[in-house]
Structures are given as C-alpha cells and as structure tokens.
Amino acid sequence: MKNITFAALVCALMISCCRTAPEEAVVAKDEVVVENILARRSVRDFTDEPITQEQLDAIMECAVNAPSASNRQPWAVRVIRNAEMLDRIRAVNERAIFNAPVVVIVAGDKNSGSARFDCGLLTQNLLLAAEAMDIGTCAVGGALNVLRSDDGKEIMEALDLPEDYELVIAICMGHKNERPEAKPRDASKVRYVD
C-alpha cells in the first residue's frame, strides 16, 4: 500500500509541477504520468543540441517542488553548463559524465537526517520532468568521485556549496542520442500485505 501511495504522490507532483493547459488535459492525466514514468531510461549518449534555458528552468522548478521532511528542503543544486568545467571532469574520468552538455550536482545538508532521502525525491522529480520534455538523463556517481578527488577541488570551489553540505548525486542531461530498451524489473520485490 505504501508503494501505491508513493506512486500516487509522485504522479500528483508531476501533474502539478509540469503545468498542463486546460485544452491539453483531454488525455487522462494519470495515463500521461504513468506513461512518462514507464518510458524513462538512463541515457548515456547525447546529441550536441543544447537544452534551452526555458527547459532547464521548468525542470529545476519541478525538481525543487519535491516534497521534503517538514519542508526543510535540505538540498543545494548546481547546474553545470560550462564546457571547460565539464571537460575537466571528463579529463579525470572519461565516463564520469559521458558527453552530457549539462550536469546537475545535488548536495544535501549533513545535519539533516532526511537529506539523502529528500535529495532522492528531488532527483526523481528532475528525471521525470526531463523525460516529459524528451530530454535524456542518467544519475551517476562517477562525477562525484572526480569532484571529491584532488583534481576536482577547483570545480568544487566554483560550485560554492554551503559548508555543511555533502555531495549526494550527479545527473547527466542532454537531448537523447540513444533510446535504450527497458531492462527487466523484478515484480516479486513488491508484495501486498493485507
């Protein structure tokens, strides 16, 4: 039941975050949201087409509208578009961010017991909002390893994260140059307890 409640919450958030005009609401909203969730895949190959500022603004608006414990919003989000910075990350680890033109860094407040969970909710909103615009995403850890290394110190300084915040996740974003098939999912992980 909790899984169904959480799925309903995510669906409601996506509907409220990604505004739909009344004339577009002819298609059942729940079908659109479910289709969006089921269509999303991790993309690791991106085109050269830039993501527009309007698209980024809409995705970030959806991201920060994620729920958080007591509405503390214990996250800090940095959007890296600077080609030199991205190349410096790739120079340390070529596959850390693939060929993504945008990398989003999410950090969480170390003093918040819910920060990692809340940052996860923000990340899921971001992934689904991007998918709704047919923008590819991939949540990665390799970029964080680069930023934590000596080679990443200057980039970390440029990110200007609050002192008590730690890196949680990085998300590569760009227009899709691939459309991976769905990988198998284990439905036995879900059990109904009546």
Side-chain angles (χ1 to χ4, degrees):
M1 188 65 173
K2 286 182 181 178
N3 289 338
I4 294 171
T5 304
F6 182 72
L9 175 63
V10 169
C11 290
L13 284 169
M14 288 305 299
I15 290 168
S16 65
C17 289
C18 300
R19 301 175 184 124
T20 303
E23 59 274 5
E24 294 173 12
V26 175
V27 177
K29 289 180 185 178
D30 58 340
E31 290 177 26
V32 172
V33 172
V34 170
E35 286 175 14
N36 186 53
I37 291 169
L38 295 178
R40 199 224 151 253
R41 303 283 176 268
S42 291
V43 173
R44 294 173 176 85
D45 189 16
F46 305 96
T47 70
D48 293 334
E49 180 185 353
I51 300 174
T52 68
Q53 187 63 51
E54 292 78 19
Q55 290 170 318
L56 280 172
D57 289 345
I59 292 167
M60 292 304 121
E61 182 181 3
C62 288
V64 299
N65 271 280
S68 63
S70 300
N71 196 33
R72 289 188 191 105
Q73 303 172 49
W75 49 63
V77 181
R78 300 295 183 265
V79 181
I80 304 174
R81 298 182 289 185
N82 179 291
E84 182 185 329
M85 257 190 212
L86 296 171
D87 286 343
R88 286 169 58 194
I89 294 170
R90 285 186 198 98
V92 177
N93 180 344
E94 185 180 337
R95 294 189 43 83
I97 57 172
F98 310 103
N99 65 330
V102 175
V103 174
V104 178
I105 304 296
V106 180
D109 185 346
K110 289 188 234 179
N111 301 310
S112 169
S114 67
R116 288 182 167 272
F117 180 78
D118 294 337
C119 288
L121 294 171
L122 175 140
T123 299
Q124 187 67 12
N125 270 20
L126 185 154
L127 299 176
L128 294 174
E131 179 62 30
M133 297 177 198
D134 201 33
I135 292 172
T137 56
C138 187
V140 295
L144 302 184
N145 294 334
V146 171
L147 295 175
R148 290 180 182 123
S149 74
D150 288 340
D151 295 316
K153 284 182 181 176
E154 285 183 36
I155 298 170
M156 281 296 291
E157 288 174 14
L159 295 179
D160 192 31
L161 292 168
E163 189 175 315
D164 287 345
Y165 278 59
E166 63 185 345
L167 299 173
V168 175
I169 197 160
I171 303 111
C172 299
M173 290 177 51
H175 289 280
K176 300 173 184 178
N177 200 34
E178 65 175 353
R179 296 196 180 266
E181 293 294 319
K183 293 199 166 89
R185 301 293 188 220
D186 185 354
S188 72
K189 300 282 185 179
V190 178
R191 294 185 186 171
Y192 296 91
V193 181
D194 296 321

